[in-house]
Amino acid sequence: MSATDNESPNGADSGDPVDGSDVERCPSCGEATIAGANWCEACGHDLSRRPLPDCAACGEPQVGTDGYCQVCGHRQPVGRDHAVESHGPVAAVSDRGLRRHQNEDAFALGRASDGESGPVVMVVCDGVSTTTGSAAASVAAADAARDHLVSTVDGVSTPDGIEQAIRNAVMAAQAAATDAARVGPDGGDHSDRSNPASSLQAGLPSTTLVATVTLAADDGPVPTSQVWVGWVGDSRAYVVADGETTLLTADHQLAGALTRWLGADSENSTPDVRHHEVVGPAWLLVCSDGLWRYLHSATGEPAHELLDRLTADGAAGRDGGLNLVEELIRFANDHGGHDNVTVALFGLNQGAVTTVEERQDG
Amino acid sequence: MADVGSGFEAEVYQNEFLPAGAEIVDAVVTVRSHVAAGGAQRADAVEMIVIDTSGSMSEEGGRKMRAAIEATQAAVDTIDDGCHFAIVGGSAGAYMIYPNEGLAVASDRTRNEAKRAVARVRPKGGTAIGSWLRAAAYLAALRPGAIAHALLLTDGKNQHETPEELDRQIAECIGRFQCDARGLGVDWDIGELRRVASALLGTVDIIPRPEDMHDEFTALTRQAMGKQIGSVALRLWTPKGSSCEFVKQVAPTLENLTALAQPVDALTSDYPLGAWAGDEERDYHLRIRIPVGNVGDERLAARVMLSIDGVDQPPALVRAIWTDDERLSTRINREVAHYTGQAELADAIAQGLAAREAGDAESATIKLGRAVQLAHESGNDDTVRLLQKVVDVDDAESGTVRLKRQVERSDEMALDVRSTRTVRINKPAGG
Ligand SMILES: [Zn+2]
Ligand SMILES: [Zn+2]
């Protein structure tokens, strides 16, 4: 995981790259072609007639360059409909869900130094779907918070210092979400839609945010992690271990309406920040409400089947979290997939005994 | 002509969000041309002035014919140098007034000859509009590829042809030239001229008094001289299994183009939009019925392209997204709602006048009241003024009106023939 990895996560199966690259080649002479060119520079072959991709809906090989099938009109899934990123013990997936036409959730991952032990940063943002442009706002906010944290938390040793870094990162995210409003509703995600049809603007782009910074202290007798979590809105962080989930956050909402969010029209974008010590193997789970609304049954008890999946898959904390993340996404979609769903998972500590304790700093 | 096309753009206005199970997609497409004056090579142009010289033009002591001659002379003065032109006389048949045959090339000399030729016209004979159109089609065909336009004037009804004959002649002319049709006085038939103008992508209007002809002829000829781009088509792709419910021009006037569709392939049709000036803006309302998708699906309902002399421009997209979020699916798109209202306004006027004609005062009052209300609401002030000559308005907001006892025939005809004139939605300042 690179601290400066800024590339947008792309779909899981983009096919096997040929020669380790995805350069398009002329079907006639095999030479590499210039992106977007209509003619092969080498042999003059008419590249505009290259075979079109198959439509995900009707199967016809007729997907146009605008992303819509030229027979049935179906919009083809794009990267952000199911975005995947995985680095060792950290994995994240953001999925459009079943009932929304686009994904307004976003995540950003990073490590503050190149070493294996640098602080790990995870950010999840949930764009508010009633406002156009929130898809752009969530990406901007998640990237801004992640970028700020990876560039500042390394070498910060005091809890207060990390808490302050999180507060500053949220300020950077707030500025980025506000800028997304200026760029316009179609500024980010919708380059394929040059459509002023969004005379539908119901508010300014806005988003929630939850960010975690995790420091491993592997020099003690039991592997221990220090976890800082800061959040604005109703995206959450949990620690899951031994069949128990511990909620680290407390939603900023009142009667179903957000009381804090990021964006140009936000009246309160101040994060709450908390610090926990996690001893022993555990999963740090960061997610949007597209997941957590299904985690709790009507009685408020965690869904046993889900926890079983998380913990029965072997020792928590080992590599391979991506499979679990995908299972969590499926779990949400199997339960209706009413919203976009985003899950980031980090396996903490190897060891025998797990405890989670809130630390009162300062 | 290639870069002429780059001066066109299309914008789509719609609520792309549909409730579950919905299959109708409405969109308004604004098409704008912006070719800098002199920036594009202007196409070859043919201007034809077709004037009624039937016996009825000698009424009012010859005032009508004298005014028509004078208006034609003014129109001739408006024709640009180098433009091909002709003046055709119409009675029970068509004949050349100027030149003796074919087309003249406009210059000081030919314009003067034409003005002298038209001054010698003496009214005589009947009215056979189909034969006049046939003459214009013949002349237009002498300059293939040119932007051909006819200004057609009549003061009477078609007499020496059956309606079927006229329709056949109109059909023969489609795509050969555009025609603005004008009726002088009140003895002509609105339906006849409307059929001519609709099929030939032109306008129809009443010229109530002979002295109004001068300005009208000059304005129409000047407008024709401003057309820089010929043969523009709206190319519409819709997905497999869909059907196009209608394609209507909704501004500046209502024109249903649905029947003019020319299939390009299984999923694509062209709708002819005629010739365009370098800085025109027109609005179109499309309604497409598409196969229903699942909630969360997004489908393209239409690609709208402009085809300029056969060259496609980049498409504007009409989308459909099915959602169970009622906040999204119940939003009313302003443009679609506005033009739906303008179409209802035109219908209310047509139905109100028909009821009035049939002696059904009650229906006429209700329909014309509704028309007043719609025209008032949408800021269509010209139509409000036309309505006020037919009804006394007690309260425009509620559409409370009383039929006038005495209505000038020309006022009634003006309301009828101009009922399809729309106003554009009030755009925000600077837009
Ligand atoms: Zn080649
Ligand atoms: Zn398809």
Side-chain angles (χ1 to χ4, degrees), chain B residues 396-409:
Chain B
E397 217 148 292
S398 64
T400 312
V401 303
R402 283 166 292 121
L403 298 183
K404 277 185 189 290
R405 273 165 215 264
Q406 291 291 325
V407 176
E408 290 288 333
R409 175 70 186 146

Side-chain angles (χ1 to χ4, degrees), chain A:
Chain A
M1 175 166 41
S2 147
T4 54
D5 180 10
N6 214 358
E7 278 175 51
S8 64
N10 210 337
D13 5 72
S14 48
D16 300 326
V18 183
D19 308 335
S21 73
D22 23 285
V23 169
E24 287 215 53
R25 294 186 176 278
C26 170
S28 176
C29 72
E31 284 297 308
T33 60
I34 296 165
N38 284 327
W39 304 93
C40 171
E41 289 285 305
C43 76
H45 185 79
D46 182 356
L47 299 173
S48 64
R49 291 171 192 277
R50 78 186 77 190
L52 297 173
D54 291 350
C55 170
C58 75
E60 293 284 340
Q62 290 288 340
V63 174
T65 51
D66 56 9
Y68 295 93
C69 174
Q70 295 183 23
V71 173
C72 75
H74 191 82
R75 181 171 78 99
Q76 306 301 307
V78 292
R80 207 168 157 186
D81 287 346
H82 188 84
V84 178
E85 205 175 326
S86 175
H87 312 276
V90 182
V93 173
S94 183
D95 189 89
R96 183 166 67 93
L98 302 180
R99 309 286 280 182
R100 291 283 171 84
H101 75 279
Q102 67 172 337
N103 191 358
E104 285 143 349
D105 282 6
F107 65 80
L109 309 176
R111 194 191 278 275
S113 71
D114 289 336
E116 277 298 295
S117 60
V120 169
V121 173
M122 300 196 289
V123 184
V124 166
C125 286
D126 178 353
V128 178
S129 74
T130 47
T131 60
T132 41
S134 289
S138 62
V139 170
D143 286 354
R146 186 266 319 271
D147 292 350
H148 183 86
L149 288 169
V150 296
S151 65
T152 54
V153 294
D154 193 27
V156 175
S157 50
T158 66
D160 284 352
I162 291 183
E163 178 177 334
Q164 193 54 49
I166 290 177
R167 292 189 180 281
N168 292 343
V170 171
M171 280 168 63
Q174 162 66 4
T178 305
D179 275 356
R182 267 215 310 273
V183 171
D186 288 341
D189 180 46
H190 295 178
S191 51
D192 58 326
R193 299 178 194 172
S194 56
N195 203 325
S198 304
S199 43
L200 288 167
Q201 194 143 3
L204 293 164
S206 42
T207 182
T208 71
L209 179 144
V210 54
T212 61
V213 175
T214 307
L215 263 167
D218 44 7
D219 47 351
V222 184
T224 301
S225 291
Q226 307 295 326
V227 178
W228 282 264
V229 55
W231 71 98
V232 178
D234 67 353
S235 295
R236 292 183 173 180
Y238 296 86
V239 168
V240 183
D242 289 342
E244 299 240 0
T245 56
T246 308
L247 177 61
L248 308 185
T249 53
D251 302 341
H252 296 136
Q253 60 108 357
L254 195 64
L258 290 177
T259 53
R260 296 188 201 178
W261 64 88
L262 303 183
D265 61 353
S266 173
E267 285 167 7
N268 187 349
S269 59
T270 313
D272 281 327
V273 182
R274 297 211 184 135
H275 172 200
H276 300 264
E277 185 171 87
V278 181
V279 179
W283 294 105
L284 174 60
L285 169 66
V286 183
C287 64
S288 64
D289 65 340
L291 175 69
W292 67 248
R293 63 188 291 172
Y294 301 118
L295 283 181
H296 304 278
S297 68
T299 59
E301 289 299 309
H304 289 292
E305 51 174 318
L306 181 79
L307 284 178
D308 290 347
R309 278 183 214 179
L310 280 171
T311 50
D313 200 67
R318 55 162 222 189
D319 284 6
L322 181 57
N323 289 335
L324 291 179
V325 174
E326 292 282 17
E327 270 195 78
L328 288 163
I329 299 285
R330 268 198 298 281
F331 171 82
N333 285 337
D334 287 348
H335 284 74
H338 288 88
D339 201 350
N340 307 144
V341 49
T342 301
V343 178
L345 202 58
F346 178 20
L348 310 175
N349 313 327
Q350 303 283 339
V353 187
T354 304
T355 63
V356 183
E357 218 172 89
E358 179 161 0
R359 299 291 295 259
Q360 300 297 334
D361 299 325

Side-chain angles (χ1 to χ4, degrees), chain B residues 79-149:
Chain B
I79 296 172
D80 291 339
D81 279 346
C83 176
H84 288 79
F85 78 104
I87 304 171
V88 175
S91 55
Y95 62 98
M96 295 301 293
I97 295 174
Y98 185 84
N100 287 329
E101 59 180 282
L103 295 162
V105 178
S107 66
D108 287 339
R109 179 181 64 80
T110 55
R111 276 189 293 262
N112 283 328
E113 286 174 4
K115 279 157 37 182
R116 282 196 295 275
V118 74
R120 291 192 291 268
V121 166
R122 295 293 172 265
K124 195 176 133 201
T127 303
I129 295 171
S131 69
W132 311 355
L133 293 172
R134 188 168 58 233
Y138 165 79
L139 292 169
L142 298 175
R143 303 293 304 175
I147 300 178
H149 174 258

Side-chain angles (χ1 to χ4, degrees), chain B residues 55-74:
Chain B
S56 58
M57 288 294 283
S58 64
E59 291 163 9
E60 302 182 30
R63 200 160 68 96
K64 283 158 81 174
M65 195 68 244
R66 279 198 304 278
I69 289 168
E70 198 265 330
T72 304
Q73 290 172 328

Side-chain angles (χ1 to χ4, degrees), chain A residues 64 66 68-75 96 98-101 130 192-193 195-200 202, chain B residues 11-17 237 239-240 267 295-300 303 317 319 321 324 327 331 333:
Chain A
D66 56 9
Y68 295 93
C69 174
Q70 295 183 23
V71 173
C72 75
H74 191 82
R75 181 171 78 99
R96 183 166 67 93
L98 302 180
R99 309 286 280 182
R100 291 283 171 84
H101 75 279
T130 47
D192 58 326
R193 299 178 194 172
N195 203 325
S198 304
S199 43
L200 288 167
Chain B
E11 269 187 324
V12 174
Y13 299 89
Q14 66 164 150
N15 177 9
E16 60 270 48
F17 294 100
W237 173 95
K240 193 175 175 181
L267 303 177
V295 168
D297 279 359
E298 175 175 339
R299 179 171 291 169
L300 207 56
R303 282 188 183 87
L317 306 182
R319 300 183 295 145
I321 300 165
D324 51 12
R327 289 169 303 185
R331 283 174 182 168
N333 178 270

